Amino acid sequence: MGSNRQPDPLMPQVGGTITHPEHGQFKILKSLASGPFSDVFKVLHVQKNERYAMKCEREEGNIRPVLKLDVYVLTQMGKNSHGIGFPKLICAGRTGYYKYAIMQLVGADLGRLRRAMPDKRFTETTSVLVALQTLNRIETLHDLGWLCRDIKSPNFAIGRGNEAGTVFMLDFGFARRYKDNSGNLLPPRNAAALLGTIHYAPLASHYNQEQCRKDDLESWLYMVIEMAAGSLPWANMDALKQHKMIAEAKKFARTAGRAQLFDGCPKEYDELMDVIDNIGFYERPNYHKLASILEAAIERLKIDRYAQLDWQLPGYDLIKRADHIGDLGESNLLSMRLKEAKSEENIHAEKENNNFPLDEPNLISCSSPEMEPVPAGHLPNYEGGDGKGEERTQSNNSFNDAQSPRYHNY
Ligand SMILES: Nc1ncnc2c1ncn2[C@@H]1O[C@H](COP(=O)(O)OP(=O)(O)OP(=O)(O)O)[C@@H](O)[C@H]1O
């Protein structure tokens, strides 16, 4: 994939080499992704002849720095015995101009793989088994004290070779601690940015509320419905111009629009929404209950839990097709410029989060509800297809914006 950004000769280039003081030389083989936040390359460890992924970002001038959070979360994950399904972090470094992290190389992401399927939906077997795996990854991340706040299929990827049946969780650039080192839950700020990816954003985020574990699961639900059904009812709405309408559609999907939302999904999925919608802000979600709903679908549909997944079956040739989808280039995606306003509340939240200097830099009390597009040079580069749902954004809608009523329940 090419980048939408102006070429920057001081950033890593294909063909170049990076030397880490302890880990040795890495030759840059290929660009894997180039987005508004970072560039990702396939690299070769020259001495060990092993391939890895390298994610890098400029030291200065980022819309939002993401690498520090990736490194922080993956380091913690590596120390955690439950780190299965998270890329292993090899090393991280900086050159003065950019920062980089070298990690386990994984395969195609679930967004591309789904769009490579004939109806843009996985088979029942794959969609249910992948729902179980991704639920497990989210539980692991949560139990480590982090929220993702950007759950979507492009942020999960399959393993390579004999790990192709394992789904890996990527991208912690919007992660946030919800508890401190002693395990105390952090109180919600009065308001928070609409951030993440609008088509998958939880209602709380639409209404500028602090997110909690439940909200990651709400995004997960939208993702698993899309994987099973092929699309979401709001798939054709413009993420930027119609973000309020998307929120309305998500509310409608809980009343008269419910049957439409779940059309094409195993019937058990309907119950997932009730369980998720009833989780409280401070509550540890009942992941086991959610998994047991998926298990009920597995039982009813007589799914072999050790079955090969769609991309492991020769018939679809999915991995190759997914690569091609990745090459389609530009879509209509637009990211948002990070504003620099800081409110008293945010400063307070940062102080409370003192041990985690990775807090989001701006978020609240921006006077304008309008979202400001980033300059063309920062347009992200993602695939076409129905990729509207993959717009990743961060806005500063005023909490008091009359058009953004505080969201209570649904
Ligand atoms: N470890 C990896 N192995 C292989 N590919 C990877 C790896 N990490 C990231 N990628 C590829 O790079 C893409 C972007 O990575 P990631 O989401 O971490 O970066 P980002 O800058 O936060 O992206 P986004 O613009 O989606 O927010 C992924 O969708 C995936 O295709």
Side-chain angles (χ1 to χ4, degrees):
M1 281 192 282
S3 171
N4 287 313
R5 277 191 241 124
Q6 298 297 322
D8 181 346
L10 297 177
M11 288 297 284
Q13 310 287 331
V14 172
T17 301
I18 285 183
T19 305
H20 184 277
E22 286 152 31
H23 289 262
Q25 270 188 320
F26 296 89
K27 186 168 171 24
I28 303 170
L29 300 179
K30 183 183 169 189
S31 167
L32 294 175
S34 182
F37 304 101
S38 70
D39 294 322
V40 183
F41 297 94
K42 186 197 274 191
V43 296
L44 174 75
H45 190 291
V46 176
Q47 287 81 14
K48 290 188 183 162
N49 195 28
E50 278 170 10
R51 283 165 171 74
Y52 297 103
M54 178 178 79
K55 186 166 172 176
C56 52
E57 70 180 12
R58 262 192 291 262
E59 289 268 9
E60 305 282 340
N62 295 305
I63 302 172
R64 177 187 175 88
V66 292
L67 209 60
K68 200 171 169 183
L69 275 163
D70 275 313
V71 169
Y72 205 106
V73 172
L74 290 178
T75 303
Q76 277 196 340
M77 206 50 85
K79 292 180 190 154
N80 182 297
S81 55
H82 304 294
I84 179 169
F86 292 85
K88 190 166 177 278
L89 182 72
I90 306 300
C91 61
R94 63 208 313 166
T95 65
Y97 190 72
Y98 62 85
K99 295 183 230 169
Y100 62 92
I102 292 176
M103 66 185 91
Q104 179 182 352
L105 181 68
V106 297
D109 69 66
L110 293 184
R112 277 190 237 172
L113 288 167
R114 178 187 66 79
R115 292 204 304 285
M117 285 294 285
D119 295 334
K120 296 187 177 175
R121 55 192 276 200
F122 291 131
T123 57
E124 265 174 348
T125 297
T126 295
S127 52
V128 178
L129 294 178
V130 163
L132 257 183
Q133 283 206 45
T134 49
L135 174 66
N136 179 271
R137 303 297 172 265
I138 296 169
E139 178 180 2
T140 303
L141 182 73
H142 286 177
D143 285 349
L144 215 60
W146 294 93
L147 303 175
C148 169
R149 303 193 305 170
D150 196 18
I151 297 287
K152 58 178 177 179
S153 46
N155 284 343
F156 291 95
I158 60 171
R160 283 156 51 92
N162 57 10
E163 284 194 297
T166 302
V167 175
F168 286 77
M169 189 172 189
L170 305 172
D171 192 2
F172 307 97
F174 278 173
R176 182 177 170 85
R177 295 286 303 179
Y178 68 90
K179 61 182 179 185
D180 65 19
N181 275 341
S182 320
N184 303 312
L185 297 173
L186 300 170
R189 294 162 300 170
N190 285 340
L194 167 59
L195 84 178
T197 304
I198 289 179
H199 283 79
Y200 305 92
L203 281 158
S205 183
H206 278 283
Y207 293 108
N208 301 111
Q209 293 180 330
E210 185 74 276
Q211 293 191 43
C212 64
R213 287 169 283 186
K214 169 214 152 152
D215 298 307
D216 274 350
L217 292 173
E218 186 183 326
S219 298
W220 169 78
L221 177 66
Y222 301 142
M223 176 183 89
V224 301
I225 291 172
E226 186 182 50
M227 288 193 296
S231 69
L232 290 163
W234 47 90
N236 292 325
M237 293 184 193
D238 185 282
L240 291 186
K241 293 191 191 118
Q242 296 176 299
H243 64 97
K244 286 178 184 157
M245 212 190 278
I246 291 172
E248 288 309 309
K250 288 174 184 168
K251 279 165 58 178
F252 182 69
R254 284 160 164 85
T255 56
R258 191 163 177 136
Q260 189 202 351
L261 177 69
F262 288 104
D263 188 24
C265 297
K267 64 180 185 199
E268 290 79 3
Y269 278 25
D270 187 89
E271 201 192 332
L272 294 172
M273 187 151 82
D274 290 331
V275 174
I276 292 169
D277 284 355
N278 284 305
I279 300 168
F281 185 86
Y282 289 110
E283 198 182 328
R284 182 179 189 275
N286 190 341
Y287 307 95
H288 181 73
K289 171 76 186 157
L290 295 168
S292 70
I293 294 169
L294 297 171
E295 294 287 352
I298 289 175
E299 191 129 320
R300 181 179 61 81
L301 296 165
K302 301 196 183 347
I303 289 174
D304 169 9
R305 63 184 61 249
Y306 302 106
Q308 300 246 294
L309 301 173
D310 291 343
W311 48 88
Q312 296 176 293
L313 300 171
Y316 295 123
D317 207 9
L318 265 198
I319 296 180
K320 240 188 213 153
R321 287 162 57 89
D323 247 8
H324 178 68
I325 282 185
D327 282 332
L328 288 179
E330 318 291 313
S331 76
N332 51 357
L333 308 178
L334 190 62
S335 214
M336 314 311 295
R337 183 197 285 277
L338 191 65
K339 294 202 175 179
E340 287 174 359
K342 274 194 182 181
S343 72
E344 286 300 312
E345 290 95 328
N346 202 31
I347 290 165
H348 177 68
E350 280 184 6
K351 276 185 187 152
E352 292 204 334
N353 239 344
N354 225 0
N355 292 329
F356 301 97
L358 306 164
D359 215 10
E360 44 215 343
N362 70 314
L363 288 183
I364 5 183
S365 298
C366 170
S367 56
S368 166
E370 296 303 324
M371 292 189 264
E372 188 181 336
V374 287
H378 287 129
L379 287 173
N381 177 27
Y382 287 106
E383 307 77 41
D386 61 351
K388 276 185 174 179
E390 285 151 32
E391 179 167 8
R392 184 153 138 171
T393 189
Q394 175 166 321
S395 82
N396 289 295
N397 284 3
S398 164
F399 170 60
N400 292 321
D401 176 11
Q403 291 173 294
S404 297
R406 193 155 168 86
Y407 184 71
H408 290 289
N409 52 31
Y410 35 85

